[in-house]
Amino acid sequence: MNLYCEQMGIVFTHSRIHQSNDQAWIEQKNGSVIRKIVGHERFSGIVAGQAMAQLYQAVRLYVNYFQPSFKLRERTREGSKVIKKYYPPATPCDRILANKDVSEQ
């Protein structure tokens, strides 16, 4: 397996048994995005893989362009306390359109 990965230029990583947070880079966003939509079930097979790929494409567009999020406006420290102030929530699409350097077209 390692030889194949080296020949194909694939980064091969190992996970440790019974370590829930040890899935290297692949499951980095599963808890915050994918698990909310799909759940914690395990899917296997070609048909399930194809369906998940289509779902991931739609979810990726939704999360990256249309899901509102907060952005930090300023951060100040008063002694040991950190005070954060945020801009109102906006979608990335709204932020792009609000930029003065972006044309209407």
Side-chain angles (χ1 to χ4, degrees):
M1 183 79 147
N2 282 339
L3 182 61
Y4 173 79
C5 290
E6 288 174 11
Q7 290 173 349
M8 301 305 288
I10 299 170
V11 177
F12 185 73
T13 62
H14 294 279
S15 63
R16 297 171 292 172
I17 193 165
H18 303 299
Q19 299 292 323
S20 63
N21 63 348
D22 199 31
Q23 290 299 316
W25 303 293
I26 294 170
E27 294 194 13
Q28 184 175 4
K29 287 294 227 176
N30 280 357
S32 62
V33 176
I34 300 303
R35 295 279 184 231
K36 287 181 183 175
I37 293 168
V38 176
H40 292 275
E41 298 298 319
R42 183 175 179 90
F43 300 97
S44 62
I46 294 172
V47 176
Q50 291 171 344
M52 295 299 261
Q54 290 178 349
L55 177 65
Y56 290 164
Q57 287 297 322
V59 169
R60 178 186 63 85
L61 294 174
Y62 169 71
V63 169
N64 289 332
Y65 296 110
F66 301 109
Q67 187 174 19
S69 62
F70 286 96
K71 293 294 178 186
L72 187 64
R73 183 174 56 199
E74 74 179 89
R75 181 179 159 194
T76 57
R77 179 179 289 276
E78 293 179 7
S80 63
K81 186 174 184 180
V82 176
I83 298 172
K84 297 178 183 179
K85 294 185 181 176
Y86 294 90
Y87 290 105
T91 66
C93 188
D94 290 337
R95 286 190 192 96
I96 290 171
L97 295 174
N99 190 326
K100 63 180 178 163
D101 296 331
V102 176
S103 69
E104 285 294 319
Q105 294 176 350

